[in-house]
Amino acid sequence: GNYKVQRWDIHKHDFLESAPGLGMFVTVTSPSGEVLLSKLYGPQGTFSFTSYLSGEHIICFQSNSTRFAVIAGSKLRIHLDIRVGEHFLDESTIQAKDKVNEVNVRLEHLIEQIHHVTREQDYEREREEKFRKTSEETNSNILWWAIVQTLILISVGIWQIKSLRDFFISKKLV
């Protein structure tokens, strides 16, 4: 609905074109007593609501002014234009908005999935880097251990050859 509030001017004896500083509190109640709309508007405005129940709806306009002149008998004029029914709803517009909302939800879901995949890739990259460092350290340790074992075997072999040669010389077999 559309509305416009005009206040009575005592000096001009006519209604003012607009009522500055005056606001309207609009409340809409469904037939079941459920409050569908409860909002403060200015001196003119548009309000809308959607009800899923048929029947008599109550629309209440209440001034927000606490000025003594308004309460003490000053007149207000309210112009009200209410449009009711489903024929004012453009189905193609509603379907387009639903499609946009559906695409928007899907897009947000895809963006969230992209963020999840990115976090997973970062985690896997960190794990791979840690595993590579561990593997390189292990390979390095194995290489040094093999070098140490080879040196020990060579030195033991040289020691055994020297010991056997000394033994054979002392027994005068050579």
Side-chain angles (χ1 to χ4, degrees):
N2 295 320
Y3 73 91
K4 179 179 176 182
V5 179
Q6 293 178 314
R7 190 177 53 167
W8 179 258
D9 188 0
I10 298 172
H11 305 295
K12 293 182 182 178
H13 296 290
D14 194 14
F15 287 98
L16 296 174
E17 188 58 33
S18 67
L22 187 64
M24 295 302 284
F25 193 74
V26 180
T27 305
V28 179
T29 308
S30 72
S32 65
E34 176 187 2
V35 176
L36 299 175
L37 176 70
S38 180
K39 190 171 178 182
L40 178 65
Y41 292 94
Q44 63 183 0
T46 302
F47 64 93
S48 64
F49 64 93
T50 303
S51 177
Y52 299 104
L53 296 174
S54 62
E56 186 176 312
H57 290 71
I58 299 171
I59 301 173
C60 178
F61 288 89
Q62 190 174 12
S63 171
N64 72 337
S65 177
T66 57
R67 293 176 60 191
F68 185 75
V70 173
I71 297 172
S74 182
K75 298 176 188 177
L76 292 178
R77 177 188 288 170
I78 299 177
H79 299 272
L80 183 60
D81 177 29
I82 297 179
R83 290 173 287 173
V84 180
E86 295 180 14
H87 58 279
F88 285 102
L89 300 176
D90 185 9
E91 282 296 319
S92 62
T93 305
I94 292 173
Q95 288 176 351
K97 286 182 181 178
D98 288 344
K99 291 278 187 191
V100 168
N101 289 340
E102 182 180 334
V103 169
N104 197 10
V105 167
R106 285 184 180 178
L107 184 63
E108 288 175 4
H109 180 68
L110 287 174
I111 289 172
E112 182 60 36
Q113 284 182 335
I114 288 171
H115 289 306
H116 178 71
V117 167
T118 303
R119 288 190 301 265
E120 280 291 320
Q121 286 177 337
D122 289 342
Y123 174 70
E124 290 297 326
R125 195 173 293 118
E126 289 173 9
R127 285 188 58 201
E128 179 187 359
E129 186 177 332
K130 184 177 179 182
F131 180 74
R132 189 177 63 248
K133 283 182 180 179
T134 304
S135 296
E136 288 174 358
E137 288 175 5
T138 303
N139 287 340
S140 176
N141 290 341
I142 289 172
L143 176 67
W144 284 111
W145 179 245
I147 291 172
V148 168
Q149 279 182 333
T150 304
L151 291 176
I152 290 173
L153 285 174
I154 289 173
S155 61
V156 167
I158 292 173
W159 177 77
Q160 283 181 343
I161 290 173
K162 186 173 180 188
S163 296
L164 278 173
R165 190 171 136 224
D166 290 344
F167 174 74
F168 289 140
I169 290 177
S170 68
K171 295 291 180 184
K172 296 191 184 194
L173 295 171
V174 177

